[in-house]
Amino acid sequence: MNETQELCHQVREELIGLRSDGVGSERRRGLLLEALGIGCEACVLECLVTSANLCEAQEDIAGQQPSLDQVAGLVTDTFGLALTPSLHWGLSFPQFFAALNARSYDLALHHATQAQSLVSAIEYPDALAHTLNLGGQLAWRVGAFDHAKKCFTRSIAESSLPWSIAIAHCQLGLTLESLGDPEAALEHQQSSIDTLTDARIRVPFLFESNRCSIMIQLGHLARANEVLDSLERFSPQAAPFVLLHRATMARFSGNLREAQSLAAKSVQLFGQAGWVGSRRKAVALQGEILIELRCFEHAIKVLVDGLDREVKLEYEQTYHQLVEAHRALGQWDHVVTYQSFLRQLTDRRRLDLHLYCRAQQRPHQSQDLREKNREIDERNRQLELLRSDRESLLNVIAHELRSPLTALGLVLRSISVRSARGIEIGARVRTGAKMVRRLQGVVDQVATVGEITNGSFAIEFEPVEVGSVLHQVVDENRLAARAKLIDLRVDEDNFYVAGHRGRLEQILTNLVSNAIKFSEMESEIHLRSFADSAHGYIEVVDEGPGLTELDLERVFSRYARLSARPTGGEPSSGMGLFIAKQLSLAMGGDLLVESAGKGLGATFSVRLALSSHQKAKV
């Protein structure tokens, strides 16, 4: 055996080990580079196809490995025009999963169909079975479980090698579990393990974990415990999965405190190992257990910390739990928000299935027509986002108007009764006027968001004296600050900026009122202004709850709901900071935020250009 053959053999042997473990995405990339370096087509094919044989680990590993498009590019750069049908077939796999992760289902189907057309022209073990698995993965992702079942069933029939048969059984088991048939799912998970055992191939711990999960669902706790004991002894990398399953078993046995502790440990280990999807499942389980323990605030903290800033289908269970926890605490604005997210997910799932069905109907269309259809699909997705924004706005309006309208109705009835009895009604009138001002504020915010969104917003620039605006904003908010014994301090350098006085007042009012809402009793809010040679700066510094990394990412988003809550139960629409940011940008400046972290306060800084009036003075 020459040196090249020896290296090929080593690459192939290590791939088998990595494939059995279901981990090691960075090492798989390294092996691909080695295979490309020696020009071994067989090893390159093995590297490309391995990523398709990871079952439910696919989502976890997709978050760790480099760009699938980049992998395809490496292969193309190495072989150039010498790409054989086998390599074209192999490249379909990373290209398929890149399209799948981007929710481009027609493109994913195109790559799966392309792989199917090349099967007869290549010599790769169980090529047809691997190709059928692509169709099954796509169908499973969009919720077409019956079609996925057909693909994986046929894959079993077409497979000849033990590993291919085991993979198909495992994926069919996951599909049957999604179809609500755990007994049949367990049979196929057991078949996948038996196939590998009979062939004396090491069983991946993920296969055992899948089987254990279904056993627990069916109440076979003693058998599940035996599997977990075996995993603990022989598969150290399975530790977070073992903890997750033991947490589920403890919960079923009524030991909720122990279950919560085990789930929390599994969340930590999944995070350290980079298992993104599995960590999400562990977070959901921990949140569910905390809700059963009636630790609602702790549950909300755990669940929110596990979320990204995007609304994702993967978070559906978490959103349901957040609705339940916020409902128990009477936090109806958050209930409305997460219910809105759930409706968005329902619409998105329906759209995904529709796009998948359309894509299946046009696998042989011309490239130009496919491009046009992809453009239409993208516009449909944009329309879906606009519809979601509209629904979020309606939810905000409904929530914000409900409380003051109810209070105003009670005030008016009280005035009517007291007036009839000749009783003093001045206090009631003042309360009613306060509710009207609150309603007017909501209407003004909604109107401003509408102007910003549709592009009808315009600024008439003028020199604005910063010191005068600062004192006016402080005076208007002093009463609200005194109610919470908050000290409003001003440290000003007076100068002029180019902008609009009313809009600058609106920005600073939003920032100061926000700081008051989220600050504790007897704290301090510091307003200061200063300038350099080109810009003026106005800072609002509070000692409030601070901002997490996730908060910092979405703090200026429309209708944003952050981790902190108003300390006095004040209303918060989620529009104020978005409006302040957009107004700052419209005046040629910006609004920035800094926070050292949770519990460490925040600093909001408005930056505007100095006016020509100010520069002339200088």
Side-chain angles (χ1 to χ4, degrees), residues 1 5-21 27 31 34 43 46-47 50 202:
M1 183 181 291
Q5 290 173 327
E6 178 65 26
L7 185 53
C8 285
H9 177 72
Q10 291 175 6
V11 169
R12 198 172 287 112
E13 286 295 309
E14 188 168 353
L15 271 169
I16 292 172
L18 289 173
R19 189 163 62 178
S20 295
D21 290 338
R27 182 56 187 145
L31 288 171
E34 289 180 33
C43 289
E46 193 68 36
C47 291
T50 295
R202 182 156 57 93

PDB file of all heavy atoms in Angstrom, residues 1 5-21 27 31 34 43 46-47 50 202:
ATOM      1  N   MET A   1       0.864  -1.202   0.000  1.00  0.00           N
ATOM      2  CA  MET A   1       0.000   0.000   0.000  1.00  0.00           C
ATOM      3  C   MET A   1       0.892   1.242   0.000  1.00  0.00           C
ATOM      4  O   MET A   1       1.730   1.417   0.887  1.00  0.00           O
ATOM      5  CB  MET A   1      -0.891   0.002   1.252  1.00  0.00           C
ATOM      6  CG  MET A   1      -1.872   1.162   1.302  1.00  0.00           C
ATOM      7  SD  MET A   1      -2.876   1.143   2.811  1.00  0.00           S
ATOM      8  CE  MET A   1      -3.891  -0.290   2.565  1.00  0.00           C
ATOM      9  N   GLN A   5      -2.544   5.691  -0.660  1.00  0.00           N
ATOM     10  CA  GLN A   5      -3.532   4.675  -0.268  1.00  0.00           C
ATOM     11  C   GLN A   5      -3.633   4.567   1.251  1.00  0.00           C
ATOM     12  O   GLN A   5      -4.722   4.395   1.808  1.00  0.00           O
ATOM     13  CB  GLN A   5      -3.160   3.324  -0.886  1.00  0.00           C
ATOM     14  CG  GLN A   5      -3.343   3.260  -2.396  1.00  0.00           C
ATOM     15  CD  GLN A   5      -2.816   1.968  -2.977  1.00  0.00           C
ATOM     16  OE1 GLN A   5      -1.834   1.402  -2.489  1.00  0.00           O
ATOM     17  NE2 GLN A   5      -3.477   1.493  -4.040  1.00  0.00           N
ATOM     18  N   GLU A   6      -2.500   4.661   1.920  1.00  0.00           N
ATOM     19  CA  GLU A   6      -2.496   4.587   3.388  1.00  0.00           C
ATOM     20  C   GLU A   6      -3.269   5.766   3.989  1.00  0.00           C
ATOM     21  O   GLU A   6      -4.066   5.597   4.924  1.00  0.00           O
ATOM     22  CB  GLU A   6      -1.051   4.608   3.891  1.00  0.00           C
ATOM     23  CG  GLU A   6      -0.921   4.589   5.414  1.00  0.00           C
ATOM     24  CD  GLU A   6      -1.444   3.308   6.042  1.00  0.00           C
ATOM     25  OE1 GLU A   6      -1.448   2.261   5.363  1.00  0.00           O
ATOM     26  OE2 GLU A   6      -1.874   3.365   7.202  1.00  0.00           O
ATOM     27  N   LEU A   7      -3.055   6.968   3.447  1.00  0.00           N
ATOM     28  CA  LEU A   7      -3.767   8.142   3.960  1.00  0.00           C
ATOM     29  C   LEU A   7      -5.259   8.018   3.693  1.00  0.00           C
ATOM     30  O   LEU A   7      -6.088   8.370   4.542  1.00  0.00           O
ATOM     31  CB  LEU A   7      -3.209   9.412   3.311  1.00  0.00           C
ATOM     32  CG  LEU A   7      -3.765  10.745   3.826  1.00  0.00           C
ATOM     33  CD1 LEU A   7      -3.636  10.838   5.335  1.00  0.00           C
ATOM     34  CD2 LEU A   7      -3.036  11.916   3.160  1.00  0.00           C
ATOM     35  N   CYS A   8      -5.636   7.525   2.507  1.00  0.00           N
ATOM     36  CA  CYS A   8      -7.045   7.316   2.194  1.00  0.00           C
ATOM     37  C   CYS A   8      -7.674   6.358   3.204  1.00  0.00           C
ATOM     38  O   CYS A   8      -8.800   6.570   3.673  1.00  0.00           O
ATOM     39  CB  CYS A   8      -7.200   6.745   0.783  1.00  0.00           C
ATOM     40  SG  CYS A   8      -6.928   7.954  -0.534  1.00  0.00           S
ATOM     41  N   HIS A   9      -6.949   5.308   3.497  1.00  0.00           N
ATOM     42  CA  HIS A   9      -7.452   4.317   4.458  1.00  0.00           C
ATOM     43  C   HIS A   9      -7.674   4.958   5.830  1.00  0.00           C
ATOM     44  O   HIS A   9      -8.697   4.720   6.490  1.00  0.00           O
ATOM     45  CB  HIS A   9      -6.461   3.158   4.555  1.00  0.00           C
ATOM     46  CG  HIS A   9      -6.855   2.125   5.572  1.00  0.00           C
ATOM     47  ND1 HIS A   9      -7.910   1.246   5.371  1.00  0.00           N
ATOM     48  CD2 HIS A   9      -6.359   1.853   6.813  1.00  0.00           C
ATOM     49  CE1 HIS A   9      -8.029   0.461   6.437  1.00  0.00           C
ATOM     50  NE2 HIS A   9      -7.091   0.814   7.321  1.00  0.00           N
ATOM     51  N   GLN A  10      -6.731   5.801   6.280  1.00  0.00           N
ATOM     52  CA  GLN A  10      -6.855   6.458   7.585  1.00  0.00           C
ATOM     53  C   GLN A  10      -8.060   7.397   7.611  1.00  0.00           C
ATOM     54  O   GLN A  10      -8.811   7.443   8.590  1.00  0.00           O
ATOM     55  CB  GLN A  10      -5.575   7.229   7.892  1.00  0.00           C
ATOM     56  CG  GLN A  10      -4.361   6.354   8.152  1.00  0.00           C
ATOM     57  CD  GLN A  10      -3.095   7.180   8.331  1.00  0.00           C
ATOM     58  OE1 GLN A  10      -3.137   8.411   8.377  1.00  0.00           O
ATOM     59  NE2 GLN A  10      -1.953   6.499   8.419  1.00  0.00           N
ATOM     60  N   VAL A  11      -8.236   8.156   6.515  1.00  0.00           N
ATOM     61  CA  VAL A  11      -9.375   9.074   6.440  1.00  0.00           C
ATOM     62  C   VAL A  11     -10.679   8.309   6.530  1.00  0.00           C
ATOM     63  O   VAL A  11     -11.602   8.667   7.270  1.00  0.00           O
ATOM     64  CB  VAL A  11      -9.318   9.899   5.136  1.00  0.00           C
ATOM     65  CG1 VAL A  11     -10.626  10.648   4.914  1.00  0.00           C
ATOM     66  CG2 VAL A  11      -8.157  10.885   5.185  1.00  0.00           C
ATOM     67  N   ARG A  12     -10.763   7.209   5.777  1.00  0.00           N
ATOM     68  CA  ARG A  12     -11.995   6.426   5.741  1.00  0.00           C
ATOM     69  C   ARG A  12     -12.290   5.820   7.117  1.00  0.00           C
ATOM     70  O   ARG A  12     -13.424   5.821   7.584  1.00  0.00           O
ATOM     71  CB  ARG A  12     -11.880   5.344   4.673  1.00  0.00           C
ATOM     72  CG  ARG A  12     -13.217   4.769   4.243  1.00  0.00           C
ATOM     73  CD  ARG A  12     -13.072   3.846   3.066  1.00  0.00           C
ATOM     74  NE  ARG A  12     -12.800   4.556   1.818  1.00  0.00           N
ATOM     75  CZ  ARG A  12     -11.642   4.498   1.151  1.00  0.00           C
ATOM     76  NH1 ARG A  12     -10.657   3.769   1.596  1.00  0.00           N
ATOM     77  NH2 ARG A  12     -11.493   5.170   0.026  1.00  0.00           N
ATOM     78  N   GLU A  13     -11.240   5.315   7.790  1.00  0.00           N
ATOM     79  CA  GLU A  13     -11.423   4.709   9.113  1.00  0.00           C
ATOM     80  C   GLU A  13     -11.906   5.749  10.124  1.00  0.00           C
ATOM     81  O   GLU A  13     -12.784   5.487  10.939  1.00  0.00           O
ATOM     82  CB  GLU A  13     -10.103   4.088   9.589  1.00  0.00           C
ATOM     83  CG  GLU A  13      -9.726   2.800   8.892  1.00  0.00           C
ATOM     84  CD  GLU A  13     -10.723   1.699   9.186  1.00  0.00           C
ATOM     85  OE1 GLU A  13     -11.020   1.466  10.360  1.00  0.00           O
ATOM     86  OE2 GLU A  13     -11.226   1.078   8.229  1.00  0.00           O
ATOM     87  N   GLU A  14     -11.320   6.954  10.098  1.00  0.00           N
ATOM     88  CA  GLU A  14     -11.730   7.981  11.061  1.00  0.00           C
ATOM     89  C   GLU A  14     -13.146   8.462  10.784  1.00  0.00           C
ATOM     90  O   GLU A  14     -13.907   8.754  11.703  1.00  0.00           O
ATOM     91  CB  GLU A  14     -10.756   9.158  11.037  1.00  0.00           C
ATOM     92  CG  GLU A  14     -11.029  10.154  12.169  1.00  0.00           C
ATOM     93  CD  GLU A  14      -9.923  11.168  12.360  1.00  0.00           C
ATOM     94  OE1 GLU A  14      -8.862  11.028  11.708  1.00  0.00           O
ATOM     95  OE2 GLU A  14     -10.119  12.089  13.158  1.00  0.00           O
ATOM     96  N   LEU A  15     -13.522   8.531   9.524  1.00  0.00           N
ATOM     97  CA  LEU A  15     -14.891   8.932   9.176  1.00  0.00           C
ATOM     98  C   LEU A  15     -15.905   7.965   9.759  1.00  0.00           C
ATOM     99  O   LEU A  15     -16.953   8.366  10.263  1.00  0.00           O
ATOM    100  CB  LEU A  15     -15.056   8.999   7.657  1.00  0.00           C
ATOM    101  CG  LEU A  15     -14.717  10.334   6.994  1.00  0.00           C
ATOM    102  CD1 LEU A  15     -14.659  10.174   5.498  1.00  0.00           C
ATOM    103  CD2 LEU A  15     -15.722  11.400   7.389  1.00  0.00           C
ATOM    104  N   ILE A  16     -15.593   6.678   9.702  1.00  0.00           N
ATOM    105  CA  ILE A  16     -16.511   5.671  10.262  1.00  0.00           C
ATOM    106  C   ILE A  16     -16.699   5.912  11.750  1.00  0.00           C
ATOM    107  O   ILE A  16     -17.806   5.872  12.280  1.00  0.00           O
ATOM    108  CB  ILE A  16     -15.977   4.251   9.989  1.00  0.00           C
ATOM    109  CG1 ILE A  16     -16.043   3.944   8.489  1.00  0.00           C
ATOM    110  CG2 ILE A  16     -16.772   3.215  10.781  1.00  0.00           C
ATOM    111  CD1 ILE A  16     -15.368   2.646   8.103  1.00  0.00           C
ATOM    112  N   GLY A  17     -15.603   6.231  12.450  1.00  0.00           N
ATOM    113  CA  GLY A  17     -15.705   6.502  13.882  1.00  0.00           C
ATOM    114  C   GLY A  17     -16.499   7.748  14.178  1.00  0.00           C
ATOM    115  O   GLY A  17     -17.362   7.768  15.051  1.00  0.00           O
ATOM    116  N   LEU A  18     -16.253   8.823  13.411  1.00  0.00           N
ATOM    117  CA  LEU A  18     -17.000  10.068  13.618  1.00  0.00           C
ATOM    118  C   LEU A  18     -18.471   9.881  13.304  1.00  0.00           C
ATOM    119  O   LEU A  18     -19.340  10.434  13.973  1.00  0.00           O
ATOM    120  CB  LEU A  18     -16.412  11.179  12.734  1.00  0.00           C
ATOM    121  CG  LEU A  18     -15.042  11.720  13.143  1.00  0.00           C
ATOM    122  CD1 LEU A  18     -14.527  12.671  12.089  1.00  0.00           C
ATOM    123  CD2 LEU A  18     -15.100  12.402  14.491  1.00  0.00           C
ATOM    124  N   ARG A  19     -18.761   9.123  12.284  1.00  0.00           N
ATOM    125  CA  ARG A  19     -20.152   8.902  11.900  1.00  0.00           C
ATOM    126  C   ARG A  19     -20.877   8.119  12.990  1.00  0.00           C
ATOM    127  O   ARG A  19     -22.038   8.366  13.288  1.00  0.00           O
ATOM    128  CB  ARG A  19     -20.217   8.152  10.568  1.00  0.00           C
ATOM    129  CG  ARG A  19     -21.594   8.077   9.983  1.00  0.00           C
ATOM    130  CD  ARG A  19     -21.575   7.708   8.522  1.00  0.00           C
ATOM    131  NE  ARG A  19     -21.011   6.395   8.283  1.00  0.00           N
ATOM    132  CZ  ARG A  19     -20.932   5.837   7.070  1.00  0.00           C
ATOM    133  NH1 ARG A  19     -21.362   6.485   6.017  1.00  0.00           N
ATOM    134  NH2 ARG A  19     -20.408   4.645   6.921  1.00  0.00           N
ATOM    135  N   SER A  20     -20.191   7.188  13.623  1.00  0.00           N
ATOM    136  CA  SER A  20     -20.806   6.418  14.698  1.00  0.00           C
ATOM    137  C   SER A  20     -21.055   7.284  15.922  1.00  0.00           C
ATOM    138  O   SER A  20     -22.048   7.127  16.626  1.00  0.00           O
ATOM    139  CB  SER A  20     -19.913   5.230  15.084  1.00  0.00           C
ATOM    140  OG  SER A  20     -19.808   4.313  14.022  1.00  0.00           O
ATOM    141  N   ASP A  21     -20.142   8.234  16.191  1.00  0.00           N
ATOM    142  CA  ASP A  21     -20.314   9.101  17.355  1.00  0.00           C
ATOM    143  C   ASP A  21     -21.367  10.173  17.111  1.00  0.00           C
ATOM    144  O   ASP A  21     -21.986  10.668  18.041  1.00  0.00           O
ATOM    145  CB  ASP A  21     -18.992   9.796  17.711  1.00  0.00           C
ATOM    146  CG  ASP A  21     -17.977   8.809  18.263  1.00  0.00           C
ATOM    147  OD1 ASP A  21     -18.407   7.757  18.747  1.00  0.00           O
ATOM    148  OD2 ASP A  21     -16.769   9.091  18.189  1.00  0.00           O
ATOM    149  N   ARG A  27     -13.758  18.231  12.834  1.00  0.00           N
ATOM    150  CA  ARG A  27     -12.833  17.206  12.359  1.00  0.00           C
ATOM    151  C   ARG A  27     -13.264  16.682  10.995  1.00  0.00           C
ATOM    152  O   ARG A  27     -12.417  16.385  10.138  1.00  0.00           O
ATOM    153  CB  ARG A  27     -12.770  16.048  13.372  1.00  0.00           C
ATOM    154  CG  ARG A  27     -11.775  14.944  12.974  1.00  0.00           C
ATOM    155  CD  ARG A  27     -10.390  15.514  12.752  1.00  0.00           C
ATOM    156  NE  ARG A  27      -9.463  14.522  12.223  1.00  0.00           N
ATOM    157  CZ  ARG A  27      -8.495  14.792  11.354  1.00  0.00           C
ATOM    158  NH1 ARG A  27      -8.337  16.031  10.915  1.00  0.00           N
ATOM    159  NH2 ARG A  27      -7.696  13.842  10.932  1.00  0.00           N
ATOM    160  N   LEU A  31     -11.005  16.438   7.687  1.00  0.00           N
ATOM    161  CA  LEU A  31     -10.853  15.237   6.872  1.00  0.00           C
ATOM    162  C   LEU A  31     -11.183  15.527   5.410  1.00  0.00           C
ATOM    163  O   LEU A  31     -10.545  14.995   4.493  1.00  0.00           O
ATOM    164  CB  LEU A  31     -11.747  14.118   7.401  1.00  0.00           C
ATOM    165  CG  LEU A  31     -11.307  13.490   8.731  1.00  0.00           C
ATOM    166  CD1 LEU A  31     -12.382  12.550   9.256  1.00  0.00           C
ATOM    167  CD2 LEU A  31      -9.994  12.742   8.560  1.00  0.00           C
ATOM    168  N   GLU A  34      -8.196  17.098   3.948  1.00  0.00           N
ATOM    169  CA  GLU A  34      -7.165  16.092   3.701  1.00  0.00           C
ATOM    170  C   GLU A  34      -7.482  15.298   2.436  1.00  0.00           C
ATOM    171  O   GLU A  34      -6.597  15.028   1.607  1.00  0.00           O
ATOM    172  CB  GLU A  34      -7.043  15.148   4.900  1.00  0.00           C
ATOM    173  CG  GLU A  34      -6.430  15.785   6.133  1.00  0.00           C
ATOM    174  CD  GLU A  34      -6.338  14.799   7.284  1.00  0.00           C
ATOM    175  OE1 GLU A  34      -6.145  13.596   7.011  1.00  0.00           O
ATOM    176  OE2 GLU A  34      -6.450  15.219   8.447  1.00  0.00           O
ATOM    177  N   CYS A  43     -12.811   9.275  -0.781  1.00  0.00           N
ATOM    178  CA  CYS A  43     -12.832   9.904   0.551  1.00  0.00           C
ATOM    179  C   CYS A  43     -13.651  11.193   0.543  1.00  0.00           C
ATOM    180  O   CYS A  43     -14.358  11.503   1.500  1.00  0.00           O
ATOM    181  CB  CYS A  43     -11.401  10.204   1.007  1.00  0.00           C
ATOM    182  SG  CYS A  43     -10.453   8.734   1.425  1.00  0.00           S
ATOM    183  N   GLU A  46     -17.241  10.294   0.694  1.00  0.00           N
ATOM    184  CA  GLU A  46     -17.599   9.855   2.047  1.00  0.00           C
ATOM    185  C   GLU A  46     -17.811  11.060   2.960  1.00  0.00           C
ATOM    186  O   GLU A  46     -18.754  11.106   3.753  1.00  0.00           O
ATOM    187  CB  GLU A  46     -16.503   8.954   2.600  1.00  0.00           C
ATOM    188  CG  GLU A  46     -16.894   8.195   3.864  1.00  0.00           C
ATOM    189  CD  GLU A  46     -17.953   7.141   3.599  1.00  0.00           C
ATOM    190  OE1 GLU A  46     -17.935   6.503   2.539  1.00  0.00           O
ATOM    191  OE2 GLU A  46     -18.815   6.964   4.474  1.00  0.00           O
ATOM    192  N   CYS A  47     -16.933  12.061   2.846  1.00  0.00           N
ATOM    193  CA  CYS A  47     -17.067  13.277   3.662  1.00  0.00           C
ATOM    194  C   CYS A  47     -18.361  14.021   3.343  1.00  0.00           C
ATOM    195  O   CYS A  47     -19.046  14.530   4.244  1.00  0.00           O
ATOM    196  CB  CYS A  47     -15.880  14.199   3.425  1.00  0.00           C
ATOM    197  SG  CYS A  47     -14.310  13.596   4.072  1.00  0.00           S
ATOM    198  N   THR A  50     -21.516  11.942   4.582  1.00  0.00           N
ATOM    199  CA  THR A  50     -21.610  11.701   6.021  1.00  0.00           C
ATOM    200  C   THR A  50     -22.545  12.688   6.707  1.00  0.00           C
ATOM    201  O   THR A  50     -23.308  12.332   7.588  1.00  0.00           O
ATOM    202  CB  THR A  50     -20.208  11.773   6.666  1.00  0.00           C
ATOM    203  OG1 THR A  50     -19.420  10.710   6.170  1.00  0.00           O
ATOM    204  CG2 THR A  50     -20.299  11.648   8.173  1.00  0.00           C
ATOM    205  N   ARG A 202     -20.187  -0.349  15.869  1.00  0.00           N
ATOM    206  CA  ARG A 202     -20.499   0.362  17.110  1.00  0.00           C
ATOM    207  C   ARG A 202     -21.747   1.220  16.933  1.00  0.00           C
ATOM    208  O   ARG A 202     -21.843   2.015  15.988  1.00  0.00           O
ATOM    209  CB  ARG A 202     -19.320   1.239  17.521  1.00  0.00           C
ATOM    210  CG  ARG A 202     -19.521   1.980  18.837  1.00  0.00           C
ATOM    211  CD  ARG A 202     -18.176   2.328  19.447  1.00  0.00           C
ATOM    212  NE  ARG A 202     -17.369   3.121  18.529  1.00  0.00           N
ATOM    213  CZ  ARG A 202     -17.362   4.451  18.535  1.00  0.00           C
ATOM    214  NH1 ARG A 202     -18.122   5.121  19.377  1.00  0.00           N
ATOM    215  NH2 ARG A 202     -16.587   5.111  17.690  1.00  0.00           N
TER     216      ARG A 202
END
